[in-house]
Amino acid sequence: MKKIFTVAPSPHVHSNDSTQKIMYRVVYAMLPLLAWSVFVFGLDALRVTLIAVVASLAFEYLIQKFLLKVKPTVTDGSALITGILLSFNVPSNLPWWIIIIGALAAIGIAKLSFGGLGGNIFNPALVGRVFLLISFPVQMTSWPVNIKSGIDAVTAATPLGIIKESTSIADALNSLPSITDMLIGNTGGSLGEMSAVLIVLGGLYMLWKKVITWHIPVAVIATVAIIASIFWLINPDVYINPAYQILSGGLLLGAVFMATDMVTSPMTPKGQIIFGVGIGLITISIRMFGAYPEGISFAILIMNAFTPLINNYVKPKRFGGK
Amino acid sequence: MSIILYTVATLAIIGATAAIILYFVAQKFKVFEDPRIDEVEESLPSANCGGCGFAGCRAFAEACVKATDLGELNCPVGGAETMESVASILGLEAVKKAPRVAFIRCNGTCDHRPKTNAFDGASTCAISAASYGGETDCEFGCLGYGDCVESCEFDAIDLRADMGVPLILDDKCVACGACVEACPKNLIELRKMYPKGRKVVVACRNEAKGGVARKSCEVACIGCGKCEKVCNFDAITIENNLAFIDSDKCKLCRKCVSVCPTHAIIEVGFPPRKIKEEEKESSTAK
Amino acid sequence: MLKTFNLGGVHPPENKLSADKKIENLPLPKTVFIPVAQHIGAPASPVVKRGDEVKVGQVIAQSSGFVSTNIHSSVSGKVKKVDVSADSSGYSKQGIFIDVAGDEWMEEIDRTEELVKEFNLDGSEIVKKIQEAGIVGLGGATFPTHVKLVPPKGMKAEVLLLNGVECEPYLTSDHRLMLEKADEIMVGIQLLMKSLQVNKAVIGIENNKPDAIQLLTEKAKEYQGVSVVALKVQYPQGGEKQLINAVTGKEVPSGALPIAVGAVVSNVGTAFAVYEAIQKNKPLFERIVTVTGKGVSKPSNFRVRVGTATSELVEAAGGLPENTGKVISGGPMMGRAIPSLDVPVTKGTSGILLMQEEESKRGEVLNCIRCARCVSVCPMGLEPYLLMTLGEKHIFDRAEEERVMDCIECGSCSFTCPSHRPLLDYIRYGKGKVGQIIRSRK
């Protein structure tokens, strides 16, 4: 019998990159943060993450299998990322059923109703988080105390909460943790936003593995730093110093892990910088003038909505001019 | 009390102003439209398939209203009935058009055409045809990815993935011609529709020389010309090693079916034949 | 810092398995099929008929226009028939079948190996001879060389660029030629420079061929105006526009020819063919073909007569490995997978690559995750993800606006897509449709 050869249009080779590999690299980058959160908050942190991950995977599988009747894609790692990121954005003492609702909002509403991985306009984990923040404001903002700080209390305030609540900056600085503590992650807050050092480390790993590019994180952080510095230089009695703005809250986590989500961020470097600057501006505006102490989640979601527009107008540099 | 009065008065003033503005705007931008366009459009099937050659039913309706003679205009979907109602709205004479039906002129199913290579590119006929001749040695035949199925607005084409060649469902086909455009191999033809869906067709487009054609497909037309000779109605022509039966001239006598040595000519919709001795193996087409 | 082009690019595994294999002559086949369309442009028209006796180097099909070339017999023997046969795409193309008998060459061809340096032809005579010898770009595009050597009115070439990049993985035919025929290539370059009336020629070679860079740099000293530039290994540096960009820093404007920036690009293999045509009176009827692949027992570089069936080359390289799944004519990035081993070697065949079963199927197509890798690797600065969608949805006017016609079909986008999306398939389709639309406008 004659041998049957495969034919196909070129190219006939493929890089050994795959969607799955990219997703798992993001997971690897997040693992040190997860470990740190367990170290700081105890097994409660692990409980939250496990529930979020299992719920995300389960919703993805069940909805795809029985509701959409398509081949489930749970193994591609994207639902795993959503689960972990969702848990990183909530306090460690959140009741289990709230986490599950968050996972449903993230996977069911934000991801699958838009056509699954790649089709979603908004970052699923952030939609889950904001859904919970609006639906359960009390549970979502009562932060457990850092078991390492040794303070005997049930709940503690986050640095940003302290800044928002304090009557003056001097007052705030008294109760704020030191910069070193914030770098290492020895403060209060959501699971994943604790340690600035580990977030940057994860970001560097992703940069090295070419999962992300530098444009978005740098644009976000630089924008926040510049605006915060300007205000601080004008009136240091009213505005906190920029180091706190950068290290506190979810800014770093958002800038490195969530704003860089490929699906919901622009395609071109120029577009990514516009996107990052937008996130920075909205974040700092909400923090300084808004009702919420933290604004990065809203900022990212708002800029997510602009992504298609940015993609439409910001074109890559064409070869051969114009 | 005065509050109520004020409210009523304000609302009345706003309402009146708005009404006046709206009236003038409407006057300013008024476009006269023949009311018959709407009427005609209503009588059309609203499939917006473009089978008539116009961009949707509305455009066709406009063309009908403008026309002085419906001879050139036809809605293949609605058929004679629709054209008659259009004609009666416009007070014109309906021109009877023979209904047509699409047919895929390839019978090279998997068991007739051996596969000689495996295409691994994007699964559309257009891309496959642009890069390779096809998965068999027949470069003229159906590719089977179903660009026609995709193009059909009426669900009238069954992909038959296991057979390798789609099938047009006559009862659903409205002869809009979308599939004719979609097929990169130019296999689909709109043929005259006969009662009971009867057809006698050369189900092949292979223009290669007889031997080559035959080697690539068991049921390929080899251009031998036997059918042309046997046909009493001049319905069959041979060009580029390929026979073609003009459906407008064909009288469904089926003589050609019997003489075709490769069974490239198939008959559809006839009761099974009694096998006569002198006819040896006559084709028993599906 | 080595030079390279400024936008995009990928770096597929090089796999140059046959880099140290000397060029061998492939034994003469028993029969050849010489297609009359081996170049871009109008197919040549056959001038022989069944039963004619032909010699090696005899014209068997005449050029049928300016953008067309002559086809010469690669063997001596009797014309069996002038007929159609399936080419690398599976579609039938016209060609000439010749039964080989002996190896009798035309008398005027100088068959010695002796280097002939001197020439005293003027530019237009050189172009005329190149045209008669049926020389086309041997890098794979097969654009008739004489057309390139006559710049459109009002344009003047300033520099001749020689493409010794060979950026396609696996292929080594140009590499071997540079090592074994350096002097001949240099003389060919002199001839091309003369015909273009330029006094500067630059040979671009990727840094993964240090021996060729060294040798040619050495040789270039003996020849006026020729220099060698080492380039960073980056695919698709062998693309005309990319090579110009890498060497001169200039960008050919969208839709324009390289001559717009004063450059003419030619392959080193073409330069060698020009040398042979003019100094040795030998028309183009054989070329160097790399036969390679991971499973091939004897990866080789052969000098092959045009028209030889692929199966002969595979046989000479140790036979078809059991688990061959795909046979590619050319390199793995831009080559054509061929449906059968009967397909003949043509002027544009730079290699035969046998791919194993497990590497020959594409991966499962998944959703686009908008990772923008395709955008960042596109050497033309296009957005492949968008062009694919536009092709899929038949939105051709927008595709034209997004410059689908600029695509050089290098395949970097499909190569890099983590979701294995058939980006280039749809872009090529869109390009074809937009091309039709543009032509119909004229």
Side-chain angles (χ1 to χ4, degrees):
Chain A
M1 209 196 98
K2 222 179 120 191
K3 187 136 179 117
I4 289 181
F5 295 123
T6 302
V7 295
S10 63
H12 307 286
V13 280
H14 193 272
S15 71
N16 54 11
D17 220 352
S18 74
T19 304
Q20 205 173 10
K21 277 187 191 161
I22 293 174
M23 295 298 166
Y24 281 103
R25 278 179 200 145
V26 179
V27 174
Y28 300 148
M30 293 192 294
L31 287 180
L33 284 170
L34 178 62
W36 180 259
S37 72
V38 175
F39 180 63
V40 174
F41 296 114
L43 286 177
D44 248 5
L46 199 61
R47 175 193 68 102
V48 172
T49 308
L50 275 181
I51 294 173
V53 166
V54 171
S56 298
L57 291 174
F59 281 130
E60 172 124 332
Y61 181 80
L62 295 173
I63 293 174
Q64 284 186 323
K65 177 106 184 174
F66 297 106
L67 209 61
L68 302 175
K69 307 220 190 304
V70 294
K71 201 173 137 235
T73 54
V74 272
T75 49
D76 67 11
S78 60
L80 181 60
I81 295 181
T82 304
I84 298 178
L85 272 181
L86 179 67
S87 72
F88 276 12
N89 275 296
V90 297
S92 66
N93 58 356
L94 201 65
W96 63 270
W97 53 274
I98 295 187
I99 308 173
I100 291 180
I101 293 174
L104 181 61
I107 298 289
I109 299 173
K111 188 176 172 194
L112 294 178
S113 59
F114 283 92
L117 178 62
N120 50 309
I121 298 171
F122 300 103
N123 185 321
L126 278 179
V127 171
R129 194 236 145 148
V130 168
F131 189 88
L132 294 183
L133 185 66
I134 294 167
S135 315
F136 310 98
V138 178
Q139 289 92 328
M140 282 293 285
T141 50
S142 57
W143 312 94
V145 89
N146 177 342
I147 54 171
K148 284 194 62 254
S149 64
I151 304 164
D152 189 21
V154 186
T155 59
T158 59
L160 278 177
I162 295 168
I163 298 167
K164 198 93 196 175
E165 301 301 321
S166 301
T167 42
S168 76
I169 286 299
D171 200 21
L173 282 173
N174 278 335
S175 35
L176 277 172
S178 70
I179 295 278
T180 340
D181 272 348
M182 289 177 44
L183 272 174
I184 299 168
N186 198 8
T187 62
S190 297
L191 252 58
E193 64 186 36
M194 308 290 295
S195 168
V197 173
L198 290 178
I199 292 173
V200 172
L201 209 68
L204 289 177
Y205 171 77
M206 291 197 292
L207 265 180
W208 175 50
K209 286 289 181 190
K210 301 212 165 100
V211 176
I212 61 171
T213 57
W214 58 269
H215 305 85
I216 294 175
V218 169
V220 173
I221 295 165
T223 309
V224 169
I226 290 167
I227 307 273
S229 305
I230 292 171
F231 277 92
W232 180 63
L233 287 174
I234 293 170
N235 194 348
D237 295 334
V238 182
Y239 299 103
I240 193 83
N241 96 47
Y244 277 100
Q245 286 285 18
I246 291 167
L247 294 175
S248 62
L251 184 80
L252 283 176
L253 180 71
V256 173
F257 284 99
M258 291 184 296
T260 54
D261 171 26
M262 309 171 153
V263 178
T264 54
S265 62
M267 306 287 267
T268 58
K270 222 192 295 173
Q272 288 171 351
I273 287 177
I274 295 172
F275 178 78
V277 169
I279 291 174
L281 286 176
I282 298 170
T283 305
I284 197 85
S285 310
I286 294 176
R287 281 188 180 182
M288 284 180 170
F289 314 111
Y292 283 98
E294 174 59 307
I296 183 89
S297 328
F298 294 106
I300 295 176
L301 288 178
I302 291 169
M303 287 313 289
N304 281 166
F306 280 99
T307 298
L309 203 66
I310 295 175
N311 278 338
N312 207 12
Y313 286 105
V314 182
K315 293 291 165 191
K317 186 188 171 300
R318 309 284 202 201
F319 184 91
K322 281 190 279 184
Chain B
M1 190 60 208
S2 61
I3 295 175
I4 295 171
L5 224 90
Y6 276 127
T7 318
V8 172
T10 325
L11 278 177
I13 292 166
I14 293 172
T17 325
I20 292 165
I21 294 171
L22 273 177
Y23 173 78
F24 281 108
V25 171
Q27 285 298 313
K28 172 107 183 135
F29 292 104
K30 197 167 179 183
V31 176
F32 174 77
E33 208 168 42
D34 197 324
R36 290 179 304 169
I37 294 177
D38 283 327
E39 268 181 77
V40 173
E41 193 188 359
E42 256 165 54
S43 72
L44 295 173
S46 326
N48 286 316
C49 63
C52 51
F54 292 89
C57 294
R58 175 108 198 150
F60 180 69
E62 279 169 25
C64 287
V65 171
K66 270 193 209 134
T68 49
D69 158 28
L70 289 180
E72 298 293 307
L73 299 161
N74 184 36
C75 171
V77 179
E81 216 174 290
T82 302
M83 288 317 291
E84 219 143 284
S85 66
V86 170
S88 71
I89 292 167
L90 301 174
L92 296 167
E93 188 111 350
V95 180
K96 263 245 164 84
K97 288 252 167 63
R100 299 201 158 245
V101 67
F103 185 81
I104 301 174
R105 286 176 292 169
C106 176
N107 195 18
T109 49
C110 299
D111 42 341
H112 290 147
R113 260 194 313 176
K115 217 170 144 175
T116 55
N117 64 74
F119 182 71
D120 190 32
S123 309
T124 78
C125 302
I127 288 175
S128 169
S131 37
Y132 290 97
E135 289 192 316
T136 67
D137 277 341
C138 175
E139 65 188 88
F140 302 94
C142 179
L143 299 164
Y145 298 108
D147 279 16
C148 51
V149 179
E150 199 79 358
S151 75
C152 185
E153 298 272 338
F154 304 93
D155 274 344
I157 310 180
D158 176 8
L159 181 63
R160 299 201 302 182
D162 51 330
M163 309 256 310
V165 181
L167 178 72
I168 291 179
L169 310 170
D170 287 6
D171 50 338
K172 286 189 186 165
C173 177
V174 296
C176 70
C179 52
V180 177
E181 292 284 313
C183 181
K185 297 279 189 185
N186 223 344
L187 292 173
I188 305 177
E189 186 205 355
L190 297 180
R191 295 178 71 84
K192 188 175 163 188
M193 183 142 61
Y194 286 96
K196 298 185 188 157
R198 288 184 171 171
K199 302 184 189 75
V200 176
V201 198
V202 181
C204 183
R205 290 279 288 164
N206 197 320
E207 294 177 4
K209 283 183 188 153
V212 180
R214 188 62 222 260
K215 218 175 127 192
S216 62
C217 177
E218 276 177 23
V219 292
C221 172
I222 53 174
C224 65
K226 283 188 182 161
C227 49
E228 192 183 20
K229 286 193 197 97
V230 83
C231 184
N232 295 332
F233 309 100
D234 276 343
I236 304 182
T237 46
I238 306 247
E239 209 177 306
N240 297 328
N241 303 311
L242 176 66
F244 171 71
I245 302 177
D246 186 338
S247 57
D248 290 319
K249 291 184 187 161
C250 177
K251 300 279 186 257
L252 300 181
C253 73
R254 298 190 282 162
K255 269 188 186 155
C256 51
V257 179
S258 317
V259 300
C260 181
T262 58
H263 304 318
I265 303 180
I266 59 171
E267 49 177 55
V268 183
F270 293 93
R273 295 188 185 202
K274 286 175 202 130
I275 298 169
K276 288 180 203 159
E277 285 302 309
E278 64 270 23
E279 272 183 359
K280 287 172 193 165
E281 301 166 12
S282 73
S283 91
T284 43
K286 319 173 192 54
Chain C
M1 226 357 225
L2 287 166
K3 283 181 168 183
T4 187
F5 52 97
N6 64 0
L7 276 184
V10 291
H11 188 177
E14 291 163 27
N15 289 319
K16 304 269 191 186
L17 309 172
S18 50
D20 53 355
K21 299 290 192 307
K22 280 217 163 68
I23 299 171
E24 298 166 55
N25 282 324
L26 191 80
L28 279 179
K30 289 201 175 58
T31 162
V32 291
F33 169 59
I34 304 175
V36 294
Q38 297 185 34
H39 47 263
I40 290 180
S45 33
V47 292
V48 289
K49 56 183 190 306
R50 187 175 167 171
D52 284 1
E53 296 281 346
V54 293
K55 287 182 188 169
V56 177
Q58 185 181 331
V59 176
I60 50 174
Q62 200 102 51
S63 159
S64 59
F66 183 58
V67 187
S68 179
T69 64
N70 290 341
I71 305 282
H72 301 80
S73 178
S74 59
V75 292
S76 60
K78 196 182 256 182
V79 176
K80 190 173 155 199
K81 56 180 175 175
V82 178
D83 201 359
V84 293
S85 179
D87 75 345
S88 58
S89 66
Y91 284 107
S92 299
K93 296 283 156 63
Q94 197 184 27
I96 296 155
F97 291 80
I98 302 171
D99 284 328
V100 181
D103 193 25
E104 194 187 331
W105 291 42
M106 299 290 279
E107 290 76 32
E108 70 263 24
I109 302 174
D110 173 4
R111 293 185 69 180
T112 58
E113 287 286 310
E114 197 186 325
L115 179 72
V116 186
K117 271 193 181 181
E118 288 69 34
F119 55 90
N120 51 8
L121 298 170
D122 69 10
S124 57
E125 284 169 332
I126 295 175
V127 175
K128 189 153 170 278
K129 266 197 121 166
I130 288 175
Q131 183 169 8
E132 279 166 5
I135 294 175
V136 298
L138 294 181
T142 66
F143 190 76
T145 301
H146 67 268
V147 182
K148 266 193 197 173
L149 297 178
V150 184
K153 271 218 174 84
M155 290 189 177
K156 168 92 181 71
E158 284 153 20
V159 60
L160 170 70
L161 300 182
L162 274 299
N163 184 349
V165 168
E166 203 154 56
C167 59
E168 277 270 10
Y170 289 99
L171 300 186
T172 57
S173 52
D174 289 350
H175 183 189
R176 287 314 304 180
L177 196 69
M178 286 190 283
L179 289 180
E180 296 177 27
K181 301 285 177 193
D183 275 307
E184 285 84 349
I185 290 173
M186 286 296 169
V187 177
I189 293 171
Q190 299 295 313
L191 289 160
L192 286 169
M193 284 165 73
K194 180 87 186 261
S195 68
L196 280 168
Q197 292 162 349
V198 297
N199 46 24
K200 196 178 161 211
V202 185
I203 309 172
I205 306 175
E206 276 189 355
N207 204 29
N208 56 359
K209 296 179 266 294
D211 46 355
I213 295 173
Q214 203 194 347
L215 179 68
L216 289 189
T217 313
E218 203 59 41
K219 295 278 182 201
K221 286 176 190 155
E222 299 167 27
Y223 298 88
Q224 185 115 50
V226 185
S227 59
V228 176
V229 182
L231 301 167
K232 190 181 156 209
V233 180
Q234 184 89 322
Y235 179 87
Q237 197 138 242
E240 205 167 46
K241 292 179 176 179
Q242 276 62 41
L243 184 68
I244 294 170
N245 184 231
V247 175
T248 69
K250 290 178 187 162
E251 286 186 11
V252 180
S254 171
L257 293 170
I259 194 77
V261 293
V264 171
V265 183
S266 208
N267 190 273
V268 288
T270 316
F272 178 67
V274 167
Y275 163 80
E276 287 200 314
I278 290 163
Q279 306 294 72
K280 301 276 187 183
N281 281 322
K282 182 183 159 199
L284 182 61
F285 56 77
E286 60 181 11
R287 64 158 299 143
I288 316 298
V289 181
T290 302
V291 183
T292 180
K294 285 183 186 145
V296 174
S297 52
K298 257 176 54 200
S300 319
N301 298 294
F302 293 120
R303 183 175 291 110
V304 185
R305 304 284 174 90
V306 164
T308 309
T310 305
S311 51
E312 306 262 352
L313 285 85
V314 174
E315 218 41 64
L320 188 71
E322 188 59 32
N323 64 344
T324 305
K326 204 187 225 179
V327 182
I328 296 162
S329 162
M333 292 299 286
M334 287 188 78
R336 267 197 91 75
I338 54 176
S340 107
L341 291 179
D342 302 335
V343 172
V345 166
T346 62
K347 292 177 183 177
T349 310
S350 47
I352 299 293
L353 169 59
L354 306 180
M355 295 191 77
Q356 295 173 320
E357 207 77 72
E358 59 271 21
E359 34 174 20
S360 52
K361 287 276 180 214
R362 291 186 182 179
E364 188 196 353
V365 177
L366 302 171
N367 281 0
C368 169
I369 57 166
R370 313 180 73 74
C371 65
R373 274 166 171 63
C374 56
V375 179
S376 65
V377 300
C378 179
M380 297 306 290
L382 307 175
E383 292 157 288
Y385 79 97
L386 177 65
L387 295 176
M388 170 172 173
T389 311
L390 295 174
E392 238 176 340
K393 302 216 157 91
H394 299 244
I395 311 173
F396 299 123
D397 48 345
R398 175 84 192 279
E400 190 186 353
E401 273 168 42
E402 299 290 348
R403 313 220 323 200
V404 71
M405 296 310 282
D406 277 5
C407 173
I408 58 167
E409 304 183 21
C410 67
S412 297
C413 49
S414 295
F415 170 81
T416 200
C417 179
S419 289
H420 295 268
R421 298 179 69 73
L423 290 155
L424 183 54
D425 290 9
Y426 279 97
I427 295 173
R428 217 185 260 123
Y429 168 64
K431 215 178 142 182
K433 288 282 177 190
V434 171
Q436 276 173 21
I437 294 169
I438 291 174
R439 277 193 297 278
S440 71
R441 242 179 252 153
K442 280 173 186 161

